[in-house]
Amino acid sequence: MRIKIRDFEIELDDVGSRTPLLFIHGYPLARKIWQPQLDDLWDIARMIAPDLRGHGSSQAVPGPYSMDELAEDCRAILENLGVKQRVVLCGLSMGGYVAFAFFRKYPERVAAMILTATRAGADSAEGRAGRDKMIALAQEQGVSAIVDAMLPKLFAPATHQARPELVEDVKLIMNRMSLEGVYGDLAGMRDRPDSTPTLADIHVPTLILHGADDQLIPPSEAEKLRDGIKSATLKLLPQAGHLLNLEQPKLFNEAIRDFWQTL
Ligand code: MLT
């Protein structure tokens, strides 16, 4: 469905009933990555999966997209849908950075967190320079150059080998991203704050899910999250890279079902 928030249009899926579960995708992705979850978990949750601004079928607006702005979009989406209950936030990678920003702004709105393939720290000086290089690459050679640079690192070697069609599907999703959106995300992530001090404030139940073969954000980052959040448990999924929910959907969904029992 399509809704208007603030002054632009957002496309989203809203599936199931009961406890609201807000899925926040990463960069340069879209809500379609949550399809294996939307198809399976509708009996336990009301799943809301938006395309963030500049992604998928949502409208692009000029960047940078700060993590605070993206969190504010998430709040506006929930308000537009009339969601009054506390929500479970499930953020993947950049979606996790947005989840931290949302938690800082609206802790009273958060029932639990699922932090997927993400990290708390800000970009290092080298990381920030890397973002600028990617911005220049996108501006000079287009979005497909970014996609070609990232795609090999997004999946576990086992996924590249066994599921080339999944890699192709994700490539299509990424190539649909607007140049404006790519710039918005890259500049927003480059300038994002360090969320490490936030970890000690998180007292809601938290599940950390990470691919054992993640080449973009190493599992050691997930261990840091577990060590920093008192109420957290960590599950490392085997033969899974950065897009573990697509690479190991059964294990990923089972982990969410088990977590749900504890809420
Ligand atoms: C993502 O998957 O959202 C991004 O790769 C995260 C990042 O670049 O820091």
Side-chain angles (χ1 to χ4, degrees):
M1 72 191 270
R2 203 158 180 88
I3 61 169
K4 185 155 190 201
I5 57 158
R6 311 177 82 191
D7 56 357
F8 54 91
E9 290 183 0
I10 287 281
E11 190 76 29
L12 58 86
D13 288 315
D14 184 0
V15 180
S17 55
R18 307 167 75 168
T19 308
L21 169 54
L22 179 69
F23 282 116
I24 314 173
H25 62 72
Y27 155 88
L29 296 160
R31 72 185 200 287
K32 275 192 185 342
I33 65 155
W34 301 113
Q35 204 57 49
Q37 286 65 55
L38 300 178
D39 288 343
D40 182 47
L41 298 171
W42 48 269
D43 57 322
I44 60 166
R46 173 180 179 184
M47 292 173 286
I48 300 162
D51 281 335
L52 296 174
R53 52 163 81 185
H55 296 249
S57 304
S58 288
Q59 209 176 320
V61 292
Y65 301 166
S66 72
M67 300 303 111
D68 271 1
E69 280 290 312
L70 296 176
E72 191 53 36
D73 292 351
C74 291
R75 189 208 54 80
I77 289 166
L78 295 173
E79 188 178 297
N80 183 293
L81 297 178
V83 176
K84 301 261 184 292
Q85 277 165 281
R86 293 193 304 153
V87 299
V88 180
L89 294 178
C90 178
L92 183 138
S93 200
M94 183 184 78
Y97 311 158
V98 177
F100 288 130
F102 187 102
F103 182 84
R104 276 192 293 275
K105 283 163 92 74
Y106 307 109
E108 72 290 348
R109 301 280 296 138
V110 181
M113 311 252 273
I114 304 172
L115 298 171
T116 301
T118 195
R119 64 181 148 210
D123 278 4
S124 62
E126 197 189 342
R128 289 168 59 87
R131 301 285 188 201
D132 288 334
K133 261 171 88 174
M134 285 293 146
I135 290 171
L137 180 68
Q139 281 162 351
E140 281 156 25
Q141 294 179 36
V143 173
S144 64
I146 297 278
V147 175
D148 292 343
M150 275 188 85
L151 203 61
K153 294 182 245 158
L154 271 183
F155 298 97
T159 307
H160 278 291
Q161 281 246 317
R163 297 184 61 195
E165 74 295 342
L166 173 65
V167 178
E168 278 306 305
D169 286 350
V170 171
K171 187 174 177 183
L172 282 178
I173 294 175
M174 292 163 78
N175 268 317
R176 284 197 61 200
M177 180 106 192
S178 62
L179 190 56
E180 214 169 13
V182 166
Y183 166 72
D185 283 357
L186 283 168
M189 289 192 288
R190 177 194 62 200
D191 299 336
R192 76 185 188 281
D194 182 7
S195 291
T196 309
T198 306
L199 302 184
D201 296 331
I202 299 178
H203 294 291
V204 294
T206 300
L207 174 64
I208 301 161
L209 293 172
H210 213 96
D213 301 327
D214 192 330
Q215 298 169 65
L216 275 180
I217 299 186
S220 56
E221 294 291 344
E223 285 161 9
K224 285 190 213 160
L225 295 178
R226 179 204 52 206
D227 295 345
I229 304 174
K230 274 200 203 75
S231 49
T233 50
L234 164 62
K235 276 200 177 153
L236 274 187
L237 303 194
Q239 303 211 319
H242 196 56
L243 299 185
L244 58 160
N245 66 307
L246 286 170
E247 299 177 77
Q248 290 285 12
K250 202 161 170 288
L251 294 180
F252 190 92
N253 294 351
E254 267 167 26
I256 293 190
R257 283 185 186 279
D258 290 348
F259 182 57
W260 228 250
Q261 302 279 333
T262 69
L263 297 182

